[in-house]
Amino acid sequence: MGLFDRVSRVVRANLNDLVSKAEDPEKILEQTLIDMQEDLVQMRQAVASAIASQKRTQQQLNQAQTEANNWQQRAQLALQKGDENLAREALLRKKTHTETATTLKAQLDQQTTTVDALKRNLIALEGKISEAKTKKDMLKARASAARANEQLQNTVGRMSTSSSMAAFERMEEKVLQMEARSQAAAEIAGADLESQFAMLESGSNVDDELEAMKAQLLGGASPAQAKLPATETTTGSATAQGTSAPVQDAAVDDELEALKTKLDQL
């Protein structure tokens, strides 16, 4: 194989590859239909021209046959008048028109066959164009669906499923952390509230205990002593009891003050 043939084949192969890649099914179908429409127009013009030629040939045939008949009648008239030379001349003219009519008849038959064939081809072309229009719409719809499916598959292919799932897992972990922080805050707030109520309850217990101690102390003394001040003494009782009662009251007061101080510190 020569170098020129190899180069020619490479060039043709590259050109065919470029053309194949550049072919758009929708555009090619539209252009093909346009070409078929142009062929249909040309076919109709050819059929119309053939029919017109057939009609002219038919007219010429009719005229030649008419002239042949006329010269036949003239030959008969001349022969009746006794003019054989004129009758012979008329027959010669008749022969010429008859031969012309015969030629036109053969031409007309051929034209009729051609016109019939052109009409059949025209009808077939019209049917193909109608079928092509229907097929074009179907192929365009299929091409659009295939293109959309290809784009979808390319989009899905470009998407990273593992990274997407990892992103969802990270977001789920963040949501769980947020929920945990919210629950912890709620528990802390509830604990503070419970501690406050616990302090109030403990304070109430201390107050109750203090009141009980006061009632116990008051219950051990006489009513008169409960009403009298701690420093007040009578002459009879002071002599009988000596100094033991004031000392006992002072100890109780000191203990009471100590308890108050502890309560204040709580």
Side-chain angles (χ1 to χ4, degrees), residues 89-143:
E89 186 67 26
L91 291 175
L92 290 174
R93 296 288 182 89
K94 173 196 171 184
K95 181 181 179 182
T96 302
H97 288 291
T98 301
E99 291 175 353
T100 302
T102 301
T103 303
L104 291 173
K105 180 65 171 61
Q107 183 178 354
L108 180 62
D109 292 340
Q110 184 178 1
Q111 288 178 346
T112 301
T113 303
T114 302
V115 168
D116 292 340
L118 289 174
K119 286 182 178 179
R120 288 193 299 269
N121 293 333
L122 180 61
I123 293 173
L125 182 58
E126 289 176 347
K128 289 182 178 179
I129 291 176
S130 178
E131 182 181 358
K133 287 181 179 179
T134 303
K135 188 176 291 186
K136 181 201 71 172
D137 296 335
M138 181 181 64
L139 291 176
K140 286 178 65 176
R142 290 173 59 184

Side-chain angles (χ1 to χ4, degrees), residues 1-12:
M1 181 181 293
L3 179 62
F4 179 79
D5 293 335
R6 294 172 60 188
V7 172
S8 176
R9 178 169 296 177
V10 170
V11 171
R12 290 197 308 270

Side-chain angles (χ1 to χ4, degrees), residues 110-182:
Q110 184 178 1
Q111 288 178 346
T112 301
T113 303
T114 302
V115 168
D116 292 340
L118 289 174
K119 286 182 178 179
R120 288 193 299 269
N121 293 333
L122 180 61
I123 293 173
L125 182 58
E126 289 176 347
K128 289 182 178 179
I129 291 176
S130 178
E131 182 181 358
K133 287 181 179 179
T134 303
K135 188 176 291 186
K136 181 201 71 172
D137 296 335
M138 181 181 64
L139 291 176
K140 286 178 65 176
R142 290 173 59 184
S144 299
R147 187 179 297 108
N149 187 31
E150 183 180 2
Q151 293 177 354
L152 178 61
Q153 294 300 327
N154 291 334
T155 302
V156 173
R158 288 193 298 268
M159 292 176 60
S160 177
T161 306
S162 58
S163 62
S164 300
M165 295 304 298
F168 274 101
E169 291 176 357
R170 289 196 304 272
M171 294 303 103
E172 183 178 6
E173 183 65 25
K174 287 188 177 182
V175 171
L176 292 175
Q177 291 178 0
M178 293 172 62
E179 292 176 349
R181 287 196 297 268
S182 176

